[in-house]
Amino acid sequence: MKAPLRILQKVVFAPLHKFHKNFLSRTARGKFFSTVTDFIFDCSKETALIMLFCNALSIVSSHIAQIGGLKKSNRENKEYLITQEKQELSLDLLLAIIPPFILNNFLKKKLESGNLTTSEAREKLINVVAPVVGVSRDELYSTEHIRPIKETVASLTSKILNLILKKNKKLPMKVENVIRSLDRKAKSVLPDATTMLPFVTLEDIACDFDNLAKEKRISSGILRKFRNGSAYDDLCGQNNGILIMATIAYSILASNIIMPILKNKLSNRSYEKQLAKMGETKESIKRKKRYEFSSVPIISEKDSKLFETFSNFDNSTTKAKQMDISASEKIKEPEHIPRTFNSFDSYSKIASQSLGLRI
């Protein structure tokens, strides 16, 4: 009796307890929600990047669904369509990720350096915020904290690889070595964290100003100059709004103008390659279509009108007459049927002979 209970405990209860402890318990839920809130807090400052990430995710999921549907279909040219769908997926990813990140980084540098801002925002930052917080003009418009795109991508890649190694401790040795080598290459792009100096950002300056306002060290008259009485909402909100508008404008431009043109060229190129495999060209296909069209007899307008005239004619009476004639030809007349005119003729001859009349 103990053996089945041990087997049941080992096979059923122990895995269920482990699953509950790792995923459903209060500690596991607390870690998960803490990770999600940290991610939202870190990325909430980069609303434009979140929009780009969600757009790329929707594009990838759409193409994957299309490829899966084509694989399950019974279409004759599904291999060609799957290849074309994969090519369009690569093109969409290139246009949906790389150019928007470059545009976002470029605009962010312009906004942080003060080259792209309004005169009102510049006046608030220099004459109101800077004296209260106690920062110099060089610190106000510093862009050294903005990292290049390659460093951002390398940092994100390193985090993902470390997460894979942390979550999967039973990976094959070859796979683990490949992941570690990729991690080393990604970290080689990043600057040394021990030698990096802390940089003051516009967000830090605005948050310091708002903290002083909460401590009531700033008069209400000065706070009225800012949106919602907050320097962060006014200055950083303006920059984030410009970045979001630029991201939306690029997404509309890419999806409605750039992408259709490039996809059309890509589909034409794929069609030519498919014809080359078949030993055909566009000109040969056109010639075959012309030959097939010329071999079909063409009915002129006059002939069509003539056929319409005959088709509208009611030939029901003619068919009835033909049927009567054919039926009368098939029915033979009986031989011994007396006829009225023959009997009348014989009677007149007999009567004339008895009376001796002559005409």
Side-chain angles (χ1 to χ4, degrees):
M1 189 68 183
K2 292 182 179 180
L5 289 176
R6 289 177 182 176
I7 295 172
L8 189 64
Q9 183 179 2
K10 185 179 180 180
V11 175
V12 179
F13 295 118
L16 285 175
H17 176 71
K18 186 177 180 180
F19 179 80
H20 180 271
K21 181 180 178 181
N22 295 333
F23 298 101
L24 300 178
S25 64
R26 180 178 294 180
T27 305
R29 282 181 283 141
K31 289 182 181 179
F32 174 74
F33 291 130
S34 178
T35 305
V36 172
T37 52
D38 291 340
F39 174 77
I40 293 173
F41 178 77
D42 292 335
C43 297
S44 61
K45 300 178 290 185
E46 303 291 344
T47 310
L49 295 180
I50 293 175
M51 293 175 64
L52 294 175
F53 174 76
C54 293
N55 185 32
L57 185 64
S58 64
I59 290 172
V60 171
S61 60
S62 175
H63 282 289
I64 290 174
Q66 290 284 346
I67 293 170
L70 288 172
K71 287 181 179 179
K72 294 179 181 179
S73 66
N74 296 324
R75 302 180 67 171
E76 296 179 356
N77 58 342
K78 70 176 183 179
E79 296 296 333
Y80 167 72
L81 294 176
I82 290 172
T83 304
Q84 188 175 358
E85 196 69 31
K86 290 180 179 179
Q87 293 175 353
E88 290 183 0
L89 171 60
S90 303
L91 181 63
D92 280 337
L93 286 178
L94 288 175
L95 289 176
I97 295 176
I98 297 177
F101 273 96
I102 295 174
L103 178 64
N104 184 77
N105 205 41
F106 172 77
L107 287 177
K108 196 171 183 180
K109 286 184 178 180
K110 290 294 182 181
L111 292 168
E112 295 281 343
S113 63
N115 294 325
L116 185 63
T117 185
T118 60
S119 58
E120 183 181 359
R122 187 181 293 108
E123 191 273 334
K124 290 178 182 178
L125 183 61
I126 296 174
N127 299 328
V128 180
V129 176
V132 173
V133 179
V135 294
S136 63
R137 184 182 178 88
D138 294 335
E139 291 176 328
L140 287 176
Y141 293 111
S142 175
T143 58
E144 295 180 2
H145 62 280
I146 301 176
R147 301 166 68 180
I149 295 177
K150 62 179 182 179
E151 292 185 9
T152 305
V153 174
S155 176
L156 182 62
T157 304
S158 178
K159 289 181 180 179
I160 293 172
L161 293 175
N162 289 326
L163 184 63
I164 293 172
L165 290 175
K166 185 178 179 181
K167 295 294 183 182
N168 301 286
K169 296 182 180 180
K170 296 182 180 180
L171 290 173
M173 187 59 65
K174 292 183 179 180
V175 177
E176 186 175 350
N177 292 332
V178 170
I179 293 175
R180 292 188 183 278
S181 64
L182 292 174
D183 186 29
R184 286 193 296 270
K185 288 181 181 180
K187 288 181 178 178
S188 64
V189 179
L190 300 175
D192 190 3
T194 58
T195 59
M196 289 180 62
L197 297 174
F199 299 107
V200 179
T201 65
L202 178 62
E203 294 176 355
D204 297 333
I205 296 170
C207 289
D208 291 341
F209 183 86
D210 291 341
N211 289 331
L212 293 174
K214 288 180 181 179
E215 295 174 1
K216 297 182 179 180
R217 296 183 183 181
I218 303 172
S219 63
S220 59
I222 295 175
L223 295 177
R224 289 195 192 99
K225 296 180 180 180
F226 297 94
R227 182 179 180 83
N228 299 328
S230 170
Y232 186 88
D233 292 347
D234 197 327
L235 302 176
C236 298
Q238 176 180 294
N239 292 348
N240 289 332
I242 293 173
L243 292 175
I244 292 171
M245 288 172 62
T247 302
I248 294 173
Y250 174 79
S251 300
I252 294 172
L253 181 67
S255 60
N256 295 315
I257 298 176
I258 299 175
M259 299 290 283
I261 294 173
L262 294 179
K263 284 183 179 181
N264 189 21
K265 291 183 178 181
L266 182 65
S267 61
N268 290 335
R269 184 181 176 185
S270 301
Y271 179 64
E272 290 176 358
K273 287 183 178 180
Q274 186 71 14
L275 289 179
K277 289 181 181 179
M278 298 167 58
E280 299 284 350
T281 59
K282 290 183 179 180
E283 289 73 16
S284 63
I285 296 295
K286 289 180 181 178
R287 285 196 297 269
K288 286 182 179 180
K289 287 183 178 180
R290 283 199 214 101
Y291 176 76
E292 292 175 358
F293 182 75
S294 60
S295 61
V296 177
I298 300 173
I299 300 173
S300 62
E301 187 176 357
K302 293 181 180 179
D303 295 335
S304 63
K305 290 181 178 179
L306 181 61
F307 286 124
E308 289 177 0
T309 303
F310 279 106
S311 64
N312 294 330
F313 180 72
D314 186 10
N315 55 358
S316 59
T317 55
T318 308
K319 289 182 179 179
K321 291 180 180 179
Q322 290 177 355
M323 291 176 63
D324 293 339
I325 293 171
S326 60
S328 62
E329 289 177 352
K330 289 180 181 180
I331 299 173
K332 291 184 179 181
E333 196 174 286
E335 295 180 358
H336 302 287
I337 296 176
R339 295 185 178 182
T340 305
F341 290 100
N342 290 336
S343 59
F344 180 76
D345 188 21
S346 60
Y347 175 77
S348 61
K349 287 181 180 180
I350 294 170
S352 60
Q353 287 178 1
S354 62
L355 294 173
L357 295 175
R358 297 288 186 268
I359 299 174

